Amino acid sequence: TGTATAATGPDRAPGGASVLATTLGAQAAESGRYFGTAVAAGKLTDTTYATILNREFNMVTPENEMKWDAIERSRGSFDFTAADRIVNHATARGQRVRGHTLVWHSQLPGWVGGITDAGTLRSVMNNHITTSMAHFRGKIHSWDVVNEAFADGTSGEQRASVFRNVLGSGYIEEAFRTARSADSAAKLCYNDYNIENWSDAKTQGVYRMVRDFKARGVPIDCVGFQAHFAAGGPPSSFQTTLSNFAALGVDVQITELDIAQASTTAYANAVKACRNVARCTGITVWGIRDTDSWRTGQNPLLFDGNGAKKPAYQSVMSALAATAAPASDAAALASAAVPASAAVPASAVSARNTAAALPTSFTWNSSNILLSPKSDATHTIDGLKDPSVVYHNGKWHVFATVANAAGYNMVYLSFTDWSQAASATHHYLDRSAIGTGYRAAPQVFYFAPQQTWYLVYQTGNASYSTNPDIGNPNGWSAPRHFYPSIPDIIADNMGNGGWVDMWVICDSANCYLFSSDDNGHLYRSQTTMAQFPNGFTNTVIAAQDSNRYALYEAANVYRVQDTNQYLLLVEAIGSNGRRYFRSWTSNSIAGSWTPLAESESNPFARSTNVSFPSGTWTTDISHGELIRARNDQTLTINSCRLQYLYQGLSPGAGGDYNSLPWRLGLLTQTNSTC
Ligand code: G2I
């Protein structure tokens, strides 16, 4: 186990590999992924089957029970009985459910296939989607909205089907739009087979469709790769395919994995392709035991007919465990081991993975100083502050304020590993079109609908620059303002404070811009996704405190993955004069905020709940950012073992505020229940 290994958490080996998990679901959860299986309702009473299902998996896909011929055998008459049995079994055990499938040319009752009138078919299709999604609303994590719509062979076109023939190729878009309206919380996926090999015409056809959907704002969140493989396993380009799709701004999943004869190497290769792509969020095998498989006689699964683990099971476990995921890379930098007793048994993981709610109190370990200013011939820097960070293409990308007595500008650096952070080159962004002068407190994210990186910062107004390539420090555009001038409500309430710390977060419909005034007010403006970055209006006070220091600045808002929660952090100045963070949650970005850990005695992060295994280098826990689970405008965090990149300060430092020697460090949560 990892107990004796300094500089690692309790459940990670030095390389970041997990060592405690004993089930597929728990092992996948170590890197934030799920491991699922197809389930047949009729087998839930088979005790061998149910024992493996309940023990190993934290996601399920009904193998046949949600197909059109199972649910709406005659027009308008819906029967969810068998599907409900699977959903109820799963949700009672903390397993998530993938809905499979709403629109598919196969397993389609004859009455649908016989429709020749477009108006009729359109209303039949939309009614089937809406009624099915409404029935399961709140219980389905992701839906295969459209299944297997592309043709095999070299055309790269949609296959002939009653939907395409009668409605035209736009039916897929219509299905996704209908699905989003029917259940705005479910992830909407396109699912297909034989799209694993990057150069195949079918793969390219699906890729073009997803790219087009993202460019035009058609709602699609994910692409499922069925991965029904012959004995050789995945094509060598599978990982490339997954990452190319992910780069379009969708999650990707392996949704129906089975491999003839289940060779250990073939299974390991399939798992590694997913594990190496950050947005590959999970793997589902198409059945539990070989005897449960649709591929009779091919023994393509992980358990034999008696329910015993096959060699491929072990190779999947090893492949899931190998190599650090981005978050564990950062975790490895937290300066000391947590006692082994803090380790949570693997059996708890699948339940935790579902109910990923945040705790109501926090404890942390802090790293030592990871990043300090680097002056050069034309930049003399005293403080490195206000970090923003994403993990993209195998690197951490950090943006921060650089400060000296003369004022503020910004810097960019990237590195593969936090242990390399101190040696990274500092690229001063005043050399880009961002230019010189007052620019501070950057926030970076990828705005997926425009396939563009945004850097949001303060200039006296709220400003932004864009860049197609986050790795190119010279690629940023000149500053543009979000507002024509300071909104009246801010001017009227800020007193002698400053208008600072702009923060953008979007849900599926709108984007919101938060800012602070160092005077006890948190402001929020709003625009639509389609209008972003323009149109921010309706500025309101989102939170306030009569003690200006209790609600001071550096506000962050995040979406908590797999929950309906948003998390608000605001920096306060404590009664001892030191900076710390308070936290609240809400079920919508524009909702009201409920206290989580928000007092000096129960803070989100304060010197009092942070341990410094290598020496207390700061008593301020100040302006920073949580490590996110993804890089897009949703600012999604995984609640499992939070990490917070922050600015800290030598406790004895004083004098001119702009010249203070701020440095950056990383907190890792130590009381996480996962
Ligand atoms: O064909 C393999 C999979 C390809 N991707 C989509 C999946 O939905 C599909 O799953 C298979 C199921 O594993 C089979 O179990 O889909 C088949 C067709 O829906 C399923 O087969 C059907 C038989 O065709 C029916 O005759 C049978 O009544 O299974 C039904 C239930 O056993």
Side-chain angles (χ1 to χ4, degrees):
T1 75
T3 52
T5 312
T8 68
D11 54 356
R12 289 175 200 282
S18 310
V19 291
L20 285 185
T22 56
T23 65
L24 295 163
Q27 191 66 73
E30 288 284 317
S31 67
R33 296 183 172 84
Y34 65 80
F35 206 98
T37 180
V39 169
K43 293 180 179 165
L44 291 173
T45 49
D46 171 337
T47 52
T48 307
Y49 183 88
T51 301
I52 302 172
L53 169 62
N54 301 347
R55 183 187 70 216
E56 295 285 341
F57 299 97
N58 48 22
M59 174 76 87
V60 305
T61 305
E63 187 175 358
N64 291 300
E65 293 76 356
M66 288 187 185
K67 292 172 182 176
W68 199 314
D69 66 352
I71 279 187
E72 192 187 7
R73 182 160 285 284
S74 61
R75 183 169 176 181
S77 149
F78 287 81
D79 179 0
F80 298 107
T81 317
D84 282 342
R85 280 166 64 200
I86 296 177
V87 172
N88 292 339
H89 184 98
T91 49
R93 288 161 181 79
Q95 296 162 321
R96 291 181 283 174
V97 182
R98 187 181 186 99
H100 176 80
T101 173
L102 294 166
V103 180
W104 186 25
H105 67 277
S106 180
Q107 301 303 109
L108 194 63
W111 67 268
V112 184
I115 297 173
T116 53
D117 168 66
T120 305
L121 186 58
R122 174 166 290 116
S123 90
V124 158
M125 179 182 85
N126 289 332
N127 183 51
H128 182 77
I129 294 170
T130 303
T131 307
S132 304
M133 291 183 82
H135 176 81
F136 296 110
R137 196 177 291 140
K139 298 177 179 170
I140 304 289
H141 182 271
S142 306
W143 271 105
D144 290 330
V145 177
V146 177
N147 193 43
E148 302 178 2
F150 275 71
D152 294 309
T154 55
S155 74
E157 301 293 338
Q158 290 184 22
R159 72 167 69 238
S161 74
V162 65
F163 301 108
R164 214 237 21 205
N165 300 352
V166 175
L167 298 177
S169 58
Y171 85 90
I172 302 181
E173 172 172 348
E174 177 154 1
F176 275 89
R177 291 191 187 278
T178 303
R180 182 67 98 219
S181 311
D183 182 354
S184 62
K187 304 274 189 200
L188 307 182
C189 310
Y190 177 79
N191 191 54
D192 214 331
Y193 65 92
N194 281 353
I195 57 167
E196 293 84 9
N197 185 13
W198 176 239
S199 60
D200 282 356
K202 188 173 178 182
T203 309
Q204 292 296 309
V206 174
Y207 179 83
R208 282 192 298 271
M209 176 188 75
V210 176
R211 189 175 58 190
D212 169 59
F213 278 15
K214 295 304 289 187
R216 293 189 297 110
V218 180
I220 183 169
D221 306 305
C222 31
V223 176
F225 296 77
Q226 293 185 8
H228 295 293
F229 293 128
S236 58
S237 64
F238 188 27
Q239 184 180 317
T240 300
T241 304
L242 292 174
S243 66
N244 286 349
F245 273 83
L248 294 176
V250 288
D251 288 337
V252 294
Q253 293 98 19
I254 296 179
T255 52
E256 304 183 9
L257 180 62
D258 50 21
I259 305 177
Q261 313 313 330
S263 114
T264 53
T265 313
Y267 259 105
N269 288 343
V271 170
K272 284 179 198 163
C274 177
R275 190 206 61 195
N276 289 340
V277 175
R279 288 195 77 161
C280 185
T281 56
I283 298 173
T284 292
V285 287
W286 205 240
I288 297 179
R289 299 162 302 192
D290 286 334
T291 44
D292 302 318
S293 173
W294 67 297
R295 299 172 72 170
T296 314
Q298 296 186 33
N299 301 323
L301 294 174
L302 301 179
F303 296 86
D304 69 19
N306 297 320
K309 296 171 183 172
K310 294 165 60 181
Y313 175 97
Q314 302 303 341
S315 78
V316 167
M317 289 292 278
S318 307
L320 285 171
T323 300
S328 60
D329 170 32
L333 246 284
S335 293
V338 184
S341 58
V344 172
S347 56
V349 172
S350 73
R352 180 271 310 161
N353 202 31
T354 317
L358 293 161
T360 52
S361 67
F362 295 85
T363 57
W364 309 86
N365 267 350
S366 177
S367 72
N368 212 329
I369 293 170
L370 294 178
L371 285 162
S372 301
K374 285 186 183 173
S375 299
D376 68 9
T378 54
H379 300 84
T380 305
I381 308 300
D382 294 319
L384 185 65
K385 313 181 52 173
D386 315 327
S388 183
V389 57
V390 291
Y391 188 83
H392 174 70
N393 267 353
K395 284 186 172 177
W396 297 98
H397 300 262
V398 173
F399 296 79
T401 305
V402 283
N404 62 25
Y408 301 127
N409 205 281
M410 300 184 296
V411 71
Y412 160 74
L413 48 145
S414 68
F415 43 87
T416 54
D417 191 289
W418 289 100
S419 64
Q420 305 299 311
S423 51
T425 301
H426 289 213
H427 299 275
Y428 291 98
L429 295 179
D430 61 2
R431 296 197 173 114
S432 75
I434 288 173
T436 56
Y438 173 31
R439 286 105 174 83
Q443 180 211 12
V444 69
F445 63 89
Y446 185 70
F447 191 68
Q450 296 168 2
Q451 299 180 43
T452 301
W453 295 93
Y454 273 79
L455 195 65
V456 172
Y457 48 94
Q458 73 201 44
T459 58
N461 201 314
S463 300
Y464 66 91
S465 296
T466 61
N467 190 344
D469 175 7
I470 192 175
N472 175 11
N474 296 316
W476 292 101
S477 63
R480 303 184 69 118
H481 294 340
F482 284 112
Y483 301 96
S485 60
I486 184 168
D488 287 348
I489 190 171
I490 301 179
D492 292 347
N493 285 283
M494 67 190 291
N496 62 352
W499 185 28
V500 298
D501 297 338
M502 288 71 187
W503 180 269
V504 169
I505 177 171
C506 310
D507 58 25
S508 55
N510 296 304
C511 293
Y512 303 84
L513 202 171
F514 288 85
S515 58
S516 297
D517 67 359
D518 290 353
N519 196 40
H521 304 99
L522 176 69
Y523 302 100
R524 185 189 71 237
S525 309
Q526 186 169 337
T527 190
T528 63
M529 280 286 273
Q531 276 185 285
F532 180 83
N534 303 309
F536 275 111
T537 53
N538 297 329
T539 306
V540 297
I541 294 175
Q544 60 187 321
D545 197 304
S546 55
N547 170 8
R548 67 188 294 186
Y549 299 114
L551 202 78
Y552 203 62
E553 57 186 3
N556 295 182
V557 181
Y558 302 95
R559 184 174 78 93
V560 184
Q561 186 171 290
D562 296 332
T563 72
N564 297 320
Q565 273 187 318
Y566 288 87
L567 171 67
L568 166 67
L569 309 179
V570 183
E571 183 176 359
I573 303 179
S575 48
N576 61 352
R578 297 296 174 179
R579 305 287 182 129
Y580 74 104
F581 278 91
R582 308 172 66 202
S583 60
W584 295 259
T585 60
S586 174
N587 53 22
S588 78
I589 302 175
S592 60
W593 295 97
T594 303
L596 182 67
E598 49 84 54
S599 62
E600 286 199 45
S601 56
N602 181 30
F604 178 74
R606 189 172 187 234
S607 60
T608 49
N609 67 347
V610 173
S611 300
F612 288 87
S614 326
T616 303
W617 62 272
T618 177
T619 48
D620 290 279
I621 307 295
S622 183
H623 194 137
E625 259 189 25
L626 286 169
I627 303 294
R628 295 171 232 162
R630 41 199 272 192
N631 299 327
D632 65 16
Q633 71 282 349
T634 64
L635 306 189
T636 302
I637 56 163
N638 183 330
S639 64
C640 181
R641 194 153 53 179
L642 298 175
Q643 295 192 293
Y644 190 78
L645 184 65
Y646 72 101
Q647 62 177 30
L649 184 67
S650 169
D656 170 40
Y657 184 76
N658 285 2
S659 307
L660 289 173
W662 295 100
R663 305 287 182 262
L664 304 185
L666 184 67
L667 302 180
T668 297
Q669 188 193 352
T670 50
N671 69 323
S672 185
T673 55
C674 55

